[in-house]
Amino acid sequence: MTTPEFCVFTEPQQGASYDTQLAFAQQAERSGFDGFFRSDHYLKMGDFFTGEPGPTDAWTTLAGLARETRTLRLGTLVSSVTYRAPGILAIQVAQVDQMSGGRAELGLGTGWFEAEHAAYGIPFPRKRFDLLEEQLEIVQGLWGTPEHATYSFDGAHYQLTDSPALPKPAQDAPPVIVGGAGLKRTPAIAARFATEFNIPFQPEDVVFDRWARARAACEEIGRDPETLKTTVALTTLAGETDADVARRAAATGVDLDDFRRDHTFCGSAAEIVDRAGHLIENGAGRLYFQMIDMTDLDHVAFVGEEVLPQLR
């Protein structure tokens, strides 16, 4: 069994400047987390948060963090295929990988939030799974093209002609994350293209079922299922006391009783260790602790310093 990894997962579109994200990431690094991952959105969600001072671009942010952190894996969970042409995306991720000394990871998905596309003039086609497959093939094709060779692609949605396939990432290929709870196509895409298959915000029976479907999809194409990391992301409210947890719930506008009943990490260090340990025992190679209030650095420190040592 491989050693599990532990990452923070943030939602900066709810209202976080670059400086806020930097302080959060550096605290996560000091407190023993393995990675900092952020959503890739341009519009806040819900009415509790104002979204101010406004959205930050995910890959611009990660480029900054690449120079101001030392050990954290850095990536998106997940970027949308609607935001960037695949050739440009490959350049951005490769550059962040170079800037970080080989710590970048690309989470890529179909996108779902139509309102943010309307708000910023981004086209939102009805059908996007074909875009995802082509983008995954192109990005990995560009990274994997031998030095001094060119890369071409003629697809239904994208065409590349004699690309120099530069720059190259520092890693041979940055890990690629595909996620979602779809029954058929998502596990199949993960088996074909992904380093990691992530199931966010779902009950355990759904998580374990989708992991099994992805492993079966690997076997169908002759891939060793053990080469596909299976992971989970859950929203987190943790604290030393019930009052700490309640205060953090109030700061993020959630009903604590509902939150406890949902598919979350919630409560004391012991409660979270119990839930997380069960996920690890059933195949989780990485856990993402989604923390919404990015100004609460004590929250990051508590999970990193009180929970993670018990799980390692």
Side-chain angles (χ1 to χ4, degrees):
M1 181 176 177
T2 58
T3 303
E5 300 167 339
F6 305 102
C7 301
V8 293
F9 171 29
T10 66
E11 301 280 351
Q13 77 279 351
Q14 301 298 71
S17 66
Y18 173 75
D19 287 340
T20 298
Q21 294 173 73
L22 172 61
F24 189 95
Q26 289 178 331
Q27 181 64 61
E29 188 167 69
R30 287 193 299 270
S31 296
F33 282 93
D34 298 302
F36 172 95
F37 285 74
R38 56 157 289 168
S39 61
D40 194 352
H41 285 295
Y42 295 114
L43 195 68
K44 75 177 181 76
M45 300 166 195
D47 297 326
F48 184 79
F49 293 97
T50 67
E52 295 175 356
T56 51
D57 179 76
W59 287 101
T60 304
T61 298
L62 295 173
L65 296 180
R67 308 303 286 184
E68 299 192 87
T69 59
R70 293 293 175 264
T71 61
L72 291 173
R73 305 295 299 178
L74 300 168
T76 51
L77 205 66
V78 294
S79 293
S80 171
V81 295
T82 57
Y83 294 161
R84 303 168 185 90
I88 301 303
L89 179 62
I91 291 170
Q92 288 176 305
V93 178
Q95 185 173 1
V96 171
D97 201 49
Q98 290 180 355
M99 293 169 70
S100 66
R103 293 183 283 126
E105 304 192 13
L106 170 64
L108 192 62
T110 58
W112 61 271
F113 194 14
E114 187 170 4
E116 72 184 343
H117 292 73
Y120 286 95
I122 305 167
F124 189 70
R126 296 292 97 190
K127 296 182 178 181
R128 301 180 300 282
F129 268 104
D130 289 346
L131 301 180
L132 176 60
E133 289 197 30
E134 288 195 14
Q135 287 208 11
L136 287 166
E137 185 168 347
I138 291 166
V139 167
Q140 292 176 313
L142 288 166
W143 292 338
T145 297
E147 189 175 358
H148 306 306
T150 60
Y151 176 81
S152 296
F153 181 87
D154 186 15
H157 302 280
Y158 305 105
Q159 294 79 41
L160 285 73
T161 302
D162 296 333
S163 171
L166 297 171
K168 297 299 187 197
Q171 302 172 91
D172 289 339
V176 169
I177 305 163
V178 169
L183 291 170
K184 294 183 178 180
R185 195 162 184 186
T186 304
I189 290 173
R192 183 179 172 195
F193 294 107
T195 313
E196 172 184 330
F197 182 45
N198 176 260
I199 308 297
F201 319 129
Q202 295 292 329
E204 286 185 357
D205 60 335
V206 172
V207 172
F208 299 155
D209 174 76
R210 301 307 188 271
W211 287 350
R213 289 174 184 270
R215 288 190 289 267
C218 286
E219 292 174 347
E220 288 176 7
I221 62 172
R223 176 179 176 178
D224 179 359
E226 294 300 314
T227 65
L228 179 64
K229 184 187 301 181
T230 48
T231 71
V232 64
L234 294 175
T235 310
T236 303
L237 287 173
E240 186 174 357
T241 67
D242 289 344
D244 289 334
V245 177
R247 171 172 51 81
R248 290 184 169 123
T252 54
V254 300
D255 181 277
L256 184 54
D257 290 337
D258 289 343
F259 189 87
R260 284 187 181 278
R261 286 191 293 266
D262 209 348
H263 319 300
T264 59
F265 290 125
C266 187
S268 66
E271 290 176 286
I272 295 175
V273 167
D274 183 63
R275 178 105 196 249
H278 183 66
L279 289 164
I280 292 167
E281 289 169 359
N282 283 275
R286 174 184 278 177
L287 300 180
Y288 294 89
F289 296 86
Q290 187 199 47
M291 301 183 197
I292 302 299
D293 183 359
M294 297 188 71
T295 66
D296 188 353
L297 301 187
D298 289 341
H299 195 199
V300 185
F302 178 81
V303 177
E305 297 165 21
E306 301 299 328
V307 174
L308 300 193
Q310 299 185 62
L311 293 170
R312 290 197 187 277

